[in-house]
Amino acid sequence: MQTLIQGDQHSVEWDAATKTVALKGILRLNGLQEYAPIATLLSEAVPEGAMVLDLRELEFLNSSGIAMLSKFVIEIRNRKTVDLCVVGSKAVAWQGKSLVNLCKLMPSLRMEII
């Protein structure tokens, strides 16, 4: 994994071999504007084919971050060139409740909560 974005309490890592973007730590950025670098990275990571969004080590994501993820999923749904798999953790309470809503935005999205 290569760290592409590093914040005080979070990081965004990329694994080109598995086409996996991993968000880690605590994401409490203010508004969609502060999430723009992460949104751009997600959007440009995989133009087509399989992509994994690994959130297992993302302990906290505020409402702006959830909005950013929702917009990303809608973009991928509309693009129709990326097979997206989102991986979450049962050990992180917010993920079980919030990540399932992404499936409503993109029914073909594969969700793995492990």
Side-chain angles (χ1 to χ4, degrees):
M1 286 268 186
Q2 174 185 7
T3 300
L4 300 178
I5 296 174
Q6 181 70 53
D8 291 339
Q9 296 181 303
H10 69 275
S11 65
V12 180
E13 299 179 1
W14 167 245
D15 184 335
T18 61
K19 295 186 177 181
T20 300
V21 175
L23 304 181
K24 298 180 177 184
I26 298 170
L27 266 168
R28 294 179 200 254
L29 302 177
N30 294 317
L32 290 175
Q33 190 171 15
E34 289 191 14
Y35 277 98
I38 296 172
T40 300
L41 189 151
L42 289 173
S43 181
E44 295 176 353
V46 178
E48 62 183 32
M51 175 181 180
V52 176
L53 179 58
D54 185 350
L55 304 175
R56 289 177 295 170
E57 295 182 45
L58 187 59
E59 299 169 36
F60 179 83
L61 183 66
N62 66 6
S63 60
S64 295
I66 291 172
M68 180 269 304
L69 282 183
S70 296
K71 286 184 173 199
F72 166 69
V73 168
I74 291 169
E75 177 188 336
I76 293 299
R77 179 194 67 197
N78 293 341
R79 199 187 306 168
K80 299 179 182 176
T81 60
V82 176
D83 178 23
L84 181 62
C85 178
V86 175
V87 182
S89 171
K90 290 179 182 174
V92 183
W94 73 268
Q95 293 186 7
K97 295 177 182 175
S98 298
L99 292 182
V100 294
N101 291 326
L102 297 177
C103 292
K104 294 175 184 173
L105 299 173
M106 181 178 173
S108 65
L109 181 141
R110 288 181 294 123
M111 179 72 62
E112 296 178 12
I113 306 291
I114 51 180

